[in-house]
Amino acid sequence: MSTCEMLDLGLPGVVADGLQVAATVLLNEPMATNTWRMRLGSPELAERMRPGQFFMARPVGLSDPLLGRPFALFDTQMDESGRPVSIDFGYVVVGKLTRWLSQCAIGTQVSVWGPLGNGFGPPAGNHLAIVAGGIGQTPFLPVIRQLLGLQTYGAAPSPAWPKPARISFCYGARSQSYLAGVADFELPGVDVRLATDDGTRGHRGYVTEVLDELLASADLPTSVFCCGPEGMMRATARRCRDAGVPCWVSLETPMACGFGACFSCVTPVRQPQGDWDYRRVCVEGPVFRAEDLVWEQGI
Amino acid sequence: MPDLSVQLNRLRLPNPILVASGTFGYAREMVAYADFRQLGGIIPKTVTPQPRPGNPTPRTVETAGGMLNSIGLDNDGLETFIAKHVQPLLSLGAPIIANVAGKNTDEFVAMARRLDEFPQLAALELNISCPNVSGGVDYGTDPGMAAEVVSAVRGATSLPVIAKLTPNVTSVPLIAKAVADAGADAVSLVNTIQGMAIDWRRRKPVLGNGLGGLSGPAIKPVALRIVWQVAQAVSVPIIGVGGIQSIDDVMEFLVAGATAVQVGTANFYNPTLATNLVGELAVLLTELGCDRVADVVGTLEFPVRR
């Protein structure tokens, strides 16, 4: 009997085939203002990561920065034989670790561990609306590629996701120069709807106003996936609740380990008894049904 | 192949590399990264008599070479620990040392008595030093109260008893002496150092709890100093903990006088480390021509003032 069987993991996000490796930086380039794309060579990680999962990254051999930071899978590359060999993630330079990342030369070794978290499941119904902001667009590229049948993910591929008739990809940033990787999402079958605070590209205003248009249309979304700043996710969750549309959000909370050991990343989650308990975003999320969350600022 | 086993009074461990409470979850979280069977001991997260939701977020923040935490002993309480975690932990093949915290001696005693029903446990570690829970830290800062808890727990269980002490006192040897005299089989030195991080623009502490405990490489010199001081002053086996992230760090603690060590914060960013250290220790002791761990314990040659 393996250790895994003995343990009866009982947590959806404890990933039994996770691993820690030193991955090599293959590409590190700006995507938008203050926003970068890094490619890490690691077949082990690339063949395991699923849409909506994340991994942790930190420098090899340094004590400052010390802890890893979570990053979502953005894209996976294959070699000629179709074997996954590398992964991309997007990051915004906000602190010492992301600053270190932005200065990494090609060939630098980065300590990474994962896959982590539950990831997204197949959306319900025939119209998926995605609402993204900040760097929260990146997890949705693999979601979309899997839905369109362009790629499968994970060591043991899950059953094919039914392809929705429509995918609306709503993505907002403060200005055109902050929109990152839009071209990656311009795929046949994806309705890309942009918003910028200053109107330099797409709708002038919040991305949630783009969602409002969809929710008021005849072709109402049947599922909403959301990732971005908390205020945006809260506003999206409120709109979906009012419209009766199921909504899943992918949270990012400060975490030290990513695999459930530290109990840092907790968020209040509704319990069957009606009260709430702090639950670990890294192992029980990062993807939650919006209605299961207790939004601390109120919804 | 050197003999890696170590003896801490009544507690015998297959090797001196343990993982510290609060940094290894309930072990199941680490299944992909650690080879449990190789570890000298696993100390799961602190258990309290009743469930505790823990402190408000944010609960951790990185600082220079370390981290502050104010988790607040978030746990589901002793009965859930027993129902859900004890048997799976005992099946892992490493010695399991349950870590408990109570608000008073009665709570410590009640927990010790209940856990005494699991003689397969290797030991109890008493968390009389968590800086994040009021009540806990007081025990660890008063030699009389610390001795009272240890003595009462000794009377309530036949399991070996380890007292985990706080560095947030003027003299750790004073506390260590008190708990050793009260019957502690070993002392774990040290728990986190109380600290804070400030967001001056918001005029607020970064942590939701205001204060937290500092851990990681930043505190290793403090932990080494305390291990050495206690080793000089008190005849009680020491488990060194504080910022260990390499085999050299392990050796520094052993040389300072620790019989065993705990890997803590490094489990968060190098989850395979503790497992690897066991093998590295065997290789290093072989290179040194040492037959057993005890050959290096307490071998520090401190400069003598003329």
Side-chain angles (χ1 to χ4, degrees):
Chain A
M1 197 164 65
S2 75
T3 308
C4 296
E5 288 166 311
M6 289 191 294
L7 280 176
D8 177 21
L9 295 173
L11 288 170
V14 172
V15 180
D17 69 342
L19 80 173
Q20 182 179 24
V21 292
T24 308
V25 176
L26 302 177
L27 178 149
N28 192 19
E29 63 182 22
M31 273 204 291
T33 300
N34 214 30
T35 309
W36 295 64
R37 176 200 298 258
M38 179 174 277
R39 179 166 302 161
L40 294 171
S42 169
E44 305 92 334
L45 207 52
E47 69 190 12
R48 285 171 168 82
M49 297 280 308
R50 295 170 184 275
Q53 286 189 310
F54 67 98
F55 60 93
M56 299 286 279
R58 71 177 294 269
V60 173
L62 292 187
S63 294
D64 197 15
L66 183 71
L67 303 170
R69 304 288 190 277
F71 299 100
L73 177 69
F74 182 23
D75 202 1
T76 307
Q77 292 77 39
M78 316 290 182
D79 66 9
E80 285 133 21
S81 69
R83 185 186 176 214
V85 287
S86 59
I87 53 173
D88 283 4
F89 64 101
Y91 63 96
V92 176
V93 177
V94 292
K96 63 184 172 186
L97 190 130
T98 45
R99 198 159 46 246
W100 177 83
L101 283 177
S102 72
Q103 292 160 358
C104 278
I106 306 300
T108 303
Q109 297 282 292
V110 180
S111 177
V112 292
W113 58 98
L116 300 165
N118 56 357
F120 282 100
N126 54 22
H127 180 190
L128 170 66
I130 289 166
V131 182
I135 194 70
Q137 80 283 18
T138 58
F140 295 117
L141 186 63
V143 168
I144 288 170
R145 293 182 64 86
Q146 171 136 336
L147 281 170
L148 294 176
L150 300 173
Q151 199 164 326
T152 58
Y153 297 85
S158 52
W161 289 2
K163 183 177 168 183
R166 185 174 171 196
I167 300 172
S168 301
F169 174 69
C170 313
Y171 170 34
R174 72 183 102 148
S175 185
Q176 179 176 13
S177 73
Y178 287 86
L179 289 167
V182 171
D184 291 300
F185 291 90
E186 289 172 336
L187 298 163
V190 180
D191 176 14
V192 175
R193 296 176 172 232
L194 304 175
T196 49
D197 295 356
D198 62 3
T200 45
R201 191 163 174 200
H203 171 78
R204 182 194 189 101
Y206 291 141
V207 68
T208 44
E209 292 157 8
V210 177
L211 175 66
D212 285 337
E213 290 169 25
L214 290 173
L215 291 171
S217 70
D219 186 12
L220 193 73
T222 51
S223 298
V224 171
F225 285 1
C226 179
C227 184
E230 184 176 338
M232 190 205 83
M233 290 194 287
R234 198 167 59 239
T236 299
R238 182 171 62 242
R239 283 162 165 79
C240 291
R241 182 196 63 190
D242 293 347
V245 176
C247 174
W248 286 260
V249 297
S250 181
L251 301 185
E252 181 182 348
T253 52
M255 56 181 71
C257 67
F259 42 76
C262 74
F263 286 70
S264 305
C265 63
V266 296
T267 194
V269 174
R270 287 183 207 291
Q271 298 302 296
Q273 304 86 336
D275 52 356
W276 62 268
D277 189 21
Y278 280 130
R279 312 306 293 193
R280 288 168 284 181
V281 168
C282 66
V283 285
E284 300 202 28
V287 179
F288 291 91
R289 279 288 292 256
E291 65 199 40
D292 292 338
L293 297 175
V294 180
W295 300 86
E296 289 185 288
Q297 310 294 319
I299 194 165
Chain B
M1 177 77 180
D3 176 10
L4 293 186
S5 68
V6 292
Q7 189 81 38
L8 302 95
N9 283 319
R10 296 179 293 162
L11 174 62
R12 186 167 191 84
L13 298 172
N15 70 66
I17 310 293
L18 291 77
V19 288
S21 183
T23 67
F24 211 69
Y26 299 99
R28 63 182 66 198
E29 294 87 349
M30 314 294 291
V31 65
Y33 303 98
D35 183 350
F36 302 122
R37 273 163 251 228
Q38 288 198 45
L39 296 175
I42 294 172
I43 311 179
K45 192 166 166 51
T46 296
V47 188
T48 56
Q50 301 300 322
R52 289 178 54 90
N55 285 330
T57 57
R59 290 173 166 188
T60 50
V61 61
E62 182 167 325
T63 57
M67 67 181 284
L68 285 164
N69 89 79
S70 63
I71 308 296
L73 303 184
D74 177 341
N75 81 105
D76 294 333
L78 179 63
E79 288 310 317
T80 300
F81 175 73
I82 287 170
K84 192 170 160 192
H85 296 299
V86 169
Q87 290 305 340
L89 282 163
L90 290 172
S91 73
L92 298 179
I96 303 299
I97 299 172
N99 179 297
V100 297
K103 284 202 282 289
N104 51 49
T105 302
D106 289 347
E107 285 195 354
F108 273 105
V109 165
M111 297 182 82
R113 201 162 275 147
R114 182 78 171 94
L115 288 168
D116 192 53
E117 295 167 30
F118 300 90
Q120 313 96 307
L121 288 170
L124 292 186
E125 184 180 62
L126 309 183
N127 181 357
I128 55 172
S129 48
C130 180
N132 294 320
V133 182
S134 80
V137 79
D138 306 326
Y139 271 85
T141 56
D142 182 302
M145 288 169 74
E148 178 192 306
V149 170
V150 169
S151 172
V153 167
R154 272 295 308 251
T157 178
S158 53
L159 295 170
V161 175
I162 303 164
K164 186 168 183 181
L165 302 186
T166 178
N168 304 312
V169 293
T170 308
S171 169
V172 181
L174 203 64
I175 316 278
K177 173 93 168 54
V179 298
D181 290 346
D185 290 274
V187 290
S188 296
L189 308 175
V190 293
N191 208 323
T192 56
I193 299 172
Q194 199 165 33
M196 75 189 298
I198 290 174
D199 180 346
W200 71 265
R201 289 184 176 83
R202 292 170 57 233
R203 303 296 199 273
K204 287 198 165 135
V206 175
L207 294 174
N209 190 50
L211 303 179
L214 182 65
S215 65
I219 75 162
K220 192 186 76 173
V222 178
L224 281 172
R225 182 265 298 175
I226 292 173
V227 165
W228 178 76
Q229 284 181 330
V230 171
Q232 296 306 298
V234 189
S235 162
V236 63
I238 295 165
I239 305 173
V241 50
I244 292 172
Q245 56 174 353
S246 71
I247 191 62
D248 287 325
D249 295 335
V250 171
M251 293 300 290
E252 290 169 20
F253 275 92
L254 297 179
V255 165
T259 300
V261 298
Q262 296 173 10
V263 176
T265 301
N267 292 318
F268 294 151
Y269 59 84
N270 194 351
T272 52
L273 173 73
T275 303
N276 295 339
L277 286 177
V278 179
E280 290 178 31
L281 179 64
V283 170
L284 185 53
L285 289 178
T286 302
E287 284 173 11
L288 293 171
C290 295
D291 296 330
R292 60 190 69 80
V293 177
D295 291 352
V296 296
V297 170
T299 54
L300 185 75
E301 296 171 16
F302 198 78
V304 180
R305 195 182 294 177
R306 293 172 198 280

